């Protein structure tokens, strides 16, 4: 099972390495394909006073060290087209944040780097709208290239009234039909945007249920931010999963993933 995990934002070199080493150890024990995730800049914070991260240069240096010392592939967000090439020189997967999922130049510049690109579905978008993201990516690939080898589509919840999100599990099947791997972001799907006034709130207790539901439907990967002390996380503290509970959650999801794959095979046979 593919899992993307790590602190929402980089909180320093020693912190990043400690979390990555712990995740690498868990991944080896459980047989997970794990990608380390952390952002060098959180450009879309609720409040201008919220921590944003170390910035491009320092952030990439830390991610490069994580990659070299742990052997884990790494993923990080980009917010501007000019960031795509320098970030692609360091990381394995470029991520387009949900608020930028319709930014044509950003998507196409990211795909053109040759790296895998994970696009978060905007909270304001229907699953069917992601077909246009796929078409934008396909347009910059060589003729005959398989866009599914370069582009992932990520569900992270849909706006439901004010300051809440809901997940329509049917959307996972809709996006699968576009020929790209589908990732489910269990943490951000449990968010309550701006519910804390100056920051996003959320229901951490609902993350396991959402993850189980998505795995049961059938996804190609899970996205889950994790932190040694979630309450002190610099970003998304309300929905960061405790690092000391990460292995237990993954153990149950791996078992469910195997059962789900067997069930889908039986239906199709």
């Amino acid at each position: 099972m593919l899992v993307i995990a790590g602190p929402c934002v980089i909180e320093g070199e020693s912190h990043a390495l400690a979390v990555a080493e712990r995740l690498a150890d868990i991944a080896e024990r459980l047989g997970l394909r794990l990608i380390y995730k952390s952002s060098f800049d959180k450009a879309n914070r609720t409040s201008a006073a919220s921590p944003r991260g170390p910035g491009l240069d320092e952030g990439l240096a830390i991610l490069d060290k994580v990659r070299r010392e742990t052997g884990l592939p790494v993923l990080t967000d980009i917010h501007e087209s000019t960031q795509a090439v320098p970030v692609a020189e360091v990381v394995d997967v470029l991520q387009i944040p949900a608020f930028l999922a319709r930014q044509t130049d950003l998507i196409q510049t990211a795909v053109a780097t040759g790296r895998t690109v994970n696009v978060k579905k905007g909270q304001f978008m229907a699953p069917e709208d992601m077909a246009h993201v796929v078409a934008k990516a396909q347009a910059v690939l060589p003729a005959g290239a398989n866009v599914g080898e370069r582009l992932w589509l990520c569900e992270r919840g849909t706006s439901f009234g004010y300051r809440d999100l809901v997940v329509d599990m049917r959307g996972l099947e809709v996006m699968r039909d576009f020929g790209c791997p589908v990732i489910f972001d269990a943490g951000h799907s449990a968010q309550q945007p701006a519910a804390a006034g100056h920051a996003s709130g959320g229901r951490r207790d609902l993350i396991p249920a959402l993850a189980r539901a998505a795995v049961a439907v059938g996804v190609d990967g899970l996205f889950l931010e994790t932190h040694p002390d979630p309450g002190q996380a610099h970003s998304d503290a309300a929905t960061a999963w405790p690092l000391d509970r990460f292995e237990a959650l993954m153990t149950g999801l791996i078992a469910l993933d195997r059962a789900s794959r067997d069930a889908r095979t039986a239906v199709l046979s």
Side-chain angles (χ1 to χ4, degrees):
M1 190 166 70
L2 172 65
V3 176
I4 301 166
C8 181
V9 66
I10 296 170
E11 299 183 18
E13 181 180 297
S14 60
H15 184 272
L17 284 169
V19 175
E21 288 166 359
R22 180 81 176 274
L23 289 173
D25 182 58
I26 293 170
E28 183 175 6
R29 262 198 313 278
L30 298 184
L32 291 173
R33 293 185 295 138
L34 193 137
I35 298 174
Y36 180 83
K37 180 270 169 185
S38 204
S39 300
F40 59 81
D41 180 23
K42 299 300 293 184
N44 55 352
R45 300 305 309 273
T46 301
S47 167
S50 299
R52 288 183 51 166
L56 181 66
D57 293 339
E58 183 181 349
L60 288 182
I62 291 171
L63 291 173
D64 183 53
K65 190 165 187 177
V66 166
R67 193 170 183 251
R68 287 185 288 105
E69 294 198 6
T70 68
L72 291 175
V74 296
L75 172 152
T76 198
D77 298 294
I78 58 171
H79 299 87
E80 302 172 7
S81 299
T82 55
Q83 295 175 341
V85 171
V87 174
E89 292 174 354
V90 174
V91 310
D92 302 273
V93 183
L94 303 175
Q95 182 163 275
I96 309 297
F99 289 129
L100 301 176
R102 293 178 58 175
Q103 295 296 102
T104 303
D105 291 345
L106 182 61
I107 292 166
Q108 292 187 328
T109 304
V111 172
T113 65
R115 292 297 192 186
T116 299
V117 179
N118 184 41
V119 181
K120 297 282 193 77
K121 179 178 75 64
Q123 301 93 321
F124 46 87
M125 295 171 66
E128 291 83 359
D129 296 341
M130 294 299 280
H132 302 297
V133 173
V134 175
K136 291 174 181 180
Q138 185 72 69
V140 297
L141 294 178
N146 181 3
V147 68
E149 295 178 356
R150 298 275 285 278
L151 185 71
W152 299 344
L153 307 179
C154 185
E155 172 62 62
R156 53 93 71 235
T158 301
S159 295
F160 184 69
Y162 293 119
R163 295 182 173 176
D164 207 357
L165 300 171
V166 67
V167 179
D168 181 358
M169 293 294 168
R170 299 173 301 175
L172 300 174
E173 287 292 293
V174 171
M175 290 194 292
R176 183 187 298 280
D177 289 341
F178 301 146
C180 295
V182 175
I183 311 296
F184 180 67
D185 182 347
H188 287 101
S189 293
Q191 265 190 345
Q192 295 172 322
H198 65 286
S200 291
R203 292 285 305 275
R204 183 184 294 113
D205 59 308
L206 296 180
I207 289 174
L210 290 169
R212 289 194 302 268
V215 169
V217 170
V219 289
D220 299 287
L222 285 173
F223 181 109
L224 184 65
E225 288 175 342
T226 186
H227 194 280
D229 186 1
Q232 299 303 313
H234 290 187
S235 178
D236 290 349
T239 52
W241 189 252
L243 185 57
D244 61 1
R245 296 168 59 193
F246 185 85
E247 184 168 0
L249 178 61
M250 288 300 118
T251 299
L253 292 173
I254 289 170
L256 182 57
D257 179 62
R258 290 171 180 157
S260 176
R261 291 178 189 276
D262 290 344
R264 295 198 302 276
T265 300
V267 169
L268 295 173
S269 62

Coordinates of all heavy atoms in Angstrom, one line a residue, residues 202-248:
G202 N -10.7 20.7 13.3 CA -11.0 19.5 12.7 C -11.3 18.4 13.7 O -11.3 18.6 14.9
R203 N -11.6 17.2 13.1 CA -12.0 16.1 14.0 C -11.0 14.9 13.8 O -11.2 14.0 12.9 CB -13.4 15.6 13.6 CG -14.6 16.6 13.9 CD -14.9 16.6 15.4 NE -15.2 15.2 15.9 CZ -16.4 14.7 15.8 NH1 -17.4 15.3 15.3 NH2 -16.6 13.4 16.3
R204 N -9.9 15.0 14.5 CA -8.9 13.9 14.4 C -9.5 12.5 14.7 O -9.1 11.5 14.1 CB -7.8 14.2 15.4 CG -6.6 13.2 15.3 CD -5.6 13.5 16.3 NE -4.9 14.7 16.1 CZ -5.0 15.8 16.9 NH1 -5.7 15.7 18.0 NH2 -4.3 16.9 16.6
D205 N -10.5 12.5 15.5 CA -11.1 11.2 15.9 C -11.8 10.5 14.7 O -12.0 9.3 14.7 CB -12.1 11.4 17.0 CG -13.2 12.3 16.7 OD1 -12.9 13.5 16.3 OD2 -14.4 12.0 16.9
L206 N -12.1 11.3 13.7 CA -12.8 10.7 12.5 C -11.9 10.2 11.4 O -12.3 9.6 10.5 CB -13.8 11.7 11.9 CG -14.9 12.2 12.8 CD1 -15.8 13.2 12.1 CD2 -15.8 11.0 13.2
I207 N -10.6 10.5 11.6 CA -9.6 10.1 10.5 C -9.6 8.6 10.3 O -9.7 8.1 9.1 CB -8.2 10.6 10.9 CG1 -8.2 12.1 10.7 CG2 -7.1 9.9 10.0 CD1 -6.9 12.8 11.2
P208 N -9.6 7.7 11.3 CA -9.6 6.3 11.0 C -10.8 5.8 10.3 O -10.7 5.0 9.4 CB -9.5 5.6 12.4 CG -8.9 6.7 13.3 CD -9.4 8.0 12.8
A209 N -12.0 6.4 10.6 CA -13.2 6.0 9.9 C -13.2 6.4 8.4 O -13.5 5.6 7.5 CB -14.4 6.6 10.6
L210 N -12.7 7.6 8.2 CA -12.6 8.0 6.8 C -11.6 7.2 6.0 O -11.8 6.8 4.8 CB -12.2 9.5 6.8 CG -13.3 10.5 7.2 CD1 -12.7 11.9 7.4 CD2 -14.5 10.6 6.3
A211 N -10.5 6.9 6.6 CA -9.4 6.1 6.0 C -9.9 4.7 5.7 O -9.7 4.2 4.6 CB -8.2 6.1 6.8
R212 N -10.6 4.1 6.6 CA -11.2 2.8 6.4 C -12.2 2.8 5.3 O -12.2 1.8 4.4 CB -11.8 2.2 7.7 CG -10.8 1.9 8.8 CD -11.5 1.0 9.9 NE -12.6 1.7 10.5 CZ -12.6 2.5 11.6 NH1 -11.4 2.7 12.2 NH2 -13.6 3.0 12.1
A213 N -13.0 3.8 5.2 CA -14.0 3.8 4.2 C -13.4 3.9 2.8 O -13.8 3.3 1.8 CB -15.0 5.0 4.4
A214 N -12.4 4.8 2.7 CA -11.7 5.0 1.4 C -11.0 3.7 1.0 O -11.0 3.3 -0.2 CB -10.7 6.1 1.5
V215 N -10.3 3.1 1.9 CA -9.6 1.8 1.6 C -10.6 0.7 1.2 O -10.3 0.0 0.3 CB -8.7 1.4 2.8 CG1 -8.2 -0.1 2.6 CG2 -7.6 2.3 3.0
A216 N -11.7 0.7 1.8 CA -12.7 -0.3 1.5 C -13.3 -0.1 0.1 O -13.5 -1.0 -0.7 CB -13.9 -0.3 2.5
V217 N -13.5 1.2 -0.3 CA -13.9 1.5 -1.7 C -12.8 1.1 -2.7 O -13.1 0.5 -3.7 CB -14.2 3.0 -1.8 CG1 -14.4 3.4 -3.3 CG2 -15.4 3.4 -1.0
G218 N -11.6 1.4 -2.3 CA -10.5 1.0 -3.2 C -9.7 2.2 -3.7 O -10.2 2.9 -4.6
V219 N -8.6 2.6 -3.0 CA -7.8 3.7 -3.5 C -6.4 3.1 -3.7 O -6.0 2.1 -3.2 CB -7.7 4.8 -2.4 CG1 -9.1 5.6 -2.4 CG2 -7.4 4.3 -1.0
D220 N -5.6 3.9 -4.4 CA -4.2 3.5 -4.7 C -3.2 4.0 -3.7 O -2.1 3.5 -3.6 CB -3.8 4.1 -6.1 CG -4.7 3.5 -7.2 OD1 -4.6 2.4 -7.6 OD2 -5.6 4.3 -7.7
G221 N -3.7 4.9 -2.8 CA -2.8 5.4 -1.8 C -3.5 6.2 -0.8 O -4.6 6.7 -1.0
L222 N -2.9 6.4 0.4 CA -3.4 7.2 1.5 C -2.4 8.4 1.8 O -1.2 8.2 1.7 CB -3.6 6.4 2.7 CG -4.8 5.5 2.8 CD1 -4.7 4.6 4.1 CD2 -6.1 6.2 2.7
F223 N -3.0 9.5 2.1 CA -2.2 10.7 2.5 C -2.6 11.0 3.9 O -3.8 11.1 4.3 CB -2.6 11.8 1.6 CG -1.9 13.1 1.8 CD1 -0.9 13.6 1.0 CD2 -2.2 13.9 2.9 CE1 -0.2 14.8 1.2 CE2 -1.5 15.1 3.2 CZ -0.5 15.5 2.3
L224 N -1.6 11.1 4.8 CA -2.0 11.3 6.2 C -0.8 12.1 6.9 O 0.3 11.6 7.0 CB -2.1 10.0 6.9 CG -2.6 10.0 8.4 CD1 -4.0 10.6 8.5 CD2 -2.5 8.6 9.0
E225 N -1.1 13.3 7.3 CA -0.1 14.1 8.1 C 0.0 13.6 9.5 O -1.0 13.2 10.1 CB -0.4 15.6 8.0 CG -0.2 16.1 6.6 CD -0.7 17.6 6.5 OE1 -1.4 18.0 7.4 OE2 -0.2 18.2 5.5
T226 N 1.3 13.4 9.9 CA 1.5 12.9 11.3 C 2.6 13.7 12.0 O 3.4 14.4 11.3 CB 2.0 11.4 11.2 OG1 2.1 10.8 12.5 CG2 3.3 11.3 10.4
H227 N 2.5 13.7 13.3 CA 3.4 14.6 14.1 C 3.6 13.9 15.5 O 2.7 13.3 16.0 CB 2.7 15.9 14.3 CG 3.6 17.0 14.8 ND1 4.0 17.2 16.1 CD2 4.2 18.0 14.1 CE1 4.7 18.2 16.2 NE2 4.9 18.8 15.0
P228 N 4.8 14.1 16.1 CA 5.1 13.5 17.4 C 4.2 14.1 18.5 O 3.9 13.5 19.5 CB 6.6 13.8 17.6 CG 7.1 14.1 16.3 CD 6.0 14.7 15.5
D229 N 3.9 15.4 18.3 CA 3.1 16.1 19.3 C 2.0 17.0 18.6 O 2.3 18.2 18.4 CB 4.0 16.9 20.2 CG 3.2 17.6 21.4 OD1 2.0 17.4 21.5 OD2 3.8 18.4 22.1
P230 N 0.9 16.4 18.1 CA 0.0 17.1 17.2 C -0.4 18.4 17.8 O -0.6 19.4 17.0 CB -1.2 16.1 17.1 CG -0.5 14.8 17.3 CD 0.5 15.0 18.3
G231 N -0.7 18.5 19.0 CA -1.1 19.8 19.6 C -0.2 20.9 19.4 O -0.6 22.1 19.4
Q232 N 1.1 20.6 19.2 CA 2.2 21.6 19.0 C 2.6 21.8 17.6 O 3.5 22.5 17.3 CB 3.4 21.3 19.9 CG 3.1 21.2 21.4 CD 2.5 22.5 21.9 OE1 3.0 23.6 21.6 NE2 1.4 22.4 22.7
A233 N 1.9 21.1 16.7 CA 2.3 21.2 15.3 C 2.1 22.6 14.8 O 1.2 23.3 15.1 CB 1.4 20.2 14.4
H234 N 3.0 23.0 13.9 CA 3.0 24.4 13.4 C 1.9 24.6 12.4 O 1.6 25.8 12.1 CB 4.3 24.7 12.7 CG 5.5 24.9 13.7 ND1 6.7 25.3 13.3 CD2 5.5 24.6 15.0 CE1 7.5 25.3 14.4 NE2 6.8 24.9 15.4
S235 N 1.3 23.5 11.8 CA 0.2 23.7 10.9 C -0.7 22.4 11.0 O -0.2 21.3 11.2 CB 0.8 23.8 9.4 OG -0.2 23.8 8.5
D236 N -2.0 22.7 10.8 CA -3.0 21.6 10.8 C -2.9 20.7 12.1 O -3.0 19.5 12.1 CB -2.8 20.7 9.6 CG -3.3 21.4 8.3 OD1 -3.9 22.5 8.5 OD2 -3.1 20.9 7.2
A237 N -2.7 21.4 13.2 CA -2.6 20.7 14.5 C -3.8 19.8 14.8 O -3.7 18.7 15.4 CB -2.3 21.7 15.6
A238 N -5.0 20.3 14.4 CA -6.2 19.6 14.8 C -6.4 18.2 14.1 O -7.1 17.4 14.5 CB -7.4 20.5 14.5
T239 N -5.7 18.1 12.9 CA -5.9 16.9 12.1 C -4.6 16.1 11.8 O -4.6 15.2 11.0 CB -6.6 17.2 10.8 OG1 -5.9 18.3 10.1 CG2 -8.1 17.6 11.1
A240 N -3.5 16.5 12.5 CA -2.3 15.7 12.4 C -2.5 14.4 13.3 O -2.9 14.5 14.4 CB -1.1 16.5 12.9
W241 N -2.1 13.3 12.7 CA -2.3 12.0 13.4 C -1.1 11.8 14.3 O 0.1 12.0 13.9 CB -2.4 10.8 12.4 CG -2.8 9.6 13.1 CD1 -2.0 8.5 13.3 CD2 -4.0 9.2 13.7 NE1 -2.7 7.5 13.9 CE2 -3.9 7.9 14.2 CE3 -5.2 9.9 13.8 CZ2 -5.0 7.3 14.9 CZ3 -6.3 9.3 14.5 CH2 -6.2 8.0 15.0
P242 N -1.3 11.4 15.6 CA -0.1 11.1 16.5 C 0.9 10.1 15.9 O 0.4 9.0 15.5 CB -0.8 10.6 17.7 CG -2.2 11.1 17.7 CD -2.6 11.1 16.2
L243 N 2.1 10.4 15.9 CA 3.1 9.5 15.3 C 3.2 8.2 16.1 O 3.4 7.2 15.5 CB 4.5 10.2 15.3 CG 5.6 9.5 14.7 CD1 5.3 9.1 13.2 CD2 6.9 10.3 14.8
D244 N 2.9 8.3 17.4 CA 3.0 7.0 18.2 C 1.8 6.1 18.0 O 1.8 5.0 18.5 CB 3.2 7.3 19.7 CG 2.1 8.1 20.3 OD1 1.1 8.4 19.6 OD2 2.1 8.5 21.5
R245 N 0.8 6.6 17.2 CA -0.3 5.7 16.9 C -0.4 5.4 15.4 O -1.3 4.8 14.9 CB -1.6 6.4 17.3 CG -1.7 6.6 18.8 CD -2.9 7.6 19.2 NE -4.2 7.1 18.7 CZ -5.3 7.8 18.7 NH1 -5.2 9.1 19.1 NH2 -6.4 7.3 18.2
F246 N 0.7 5.9 14.7 CA 0.7 5.7 13.2 C 0.8 4.2 12.8 O 0.0 3.8 11.9 CB 1.9 6.5 12.6 CG 1.9 6.5 11.1 CD1 1.2 7.4 10.4 CD2 2.7 5.5 10.4 CE1 1.3 7.4 9.0 CE2 2.8 5.5 9.0 CZ 2.1 6.5 8.3
E247 N 1.6 3.5 13.4 CA 1.8 2.1 13.1 C 0.6 1.3 13.3 O 0.2 0.4 12.5 CB 3.0 1.5 13.8 CG 3.3 0.0 13.4 CD 4.6 -0.5 14.0 OE1 5.3 0.3 14.7 OE2 4.9 -1.7 13.6
A248 N -0.1 1.5 14.4 CA -1.3 0.8 14.7 C -2.4 1.0 13.7 O -3.1 0.1 13.2 CB -1.8 1.1 16.1

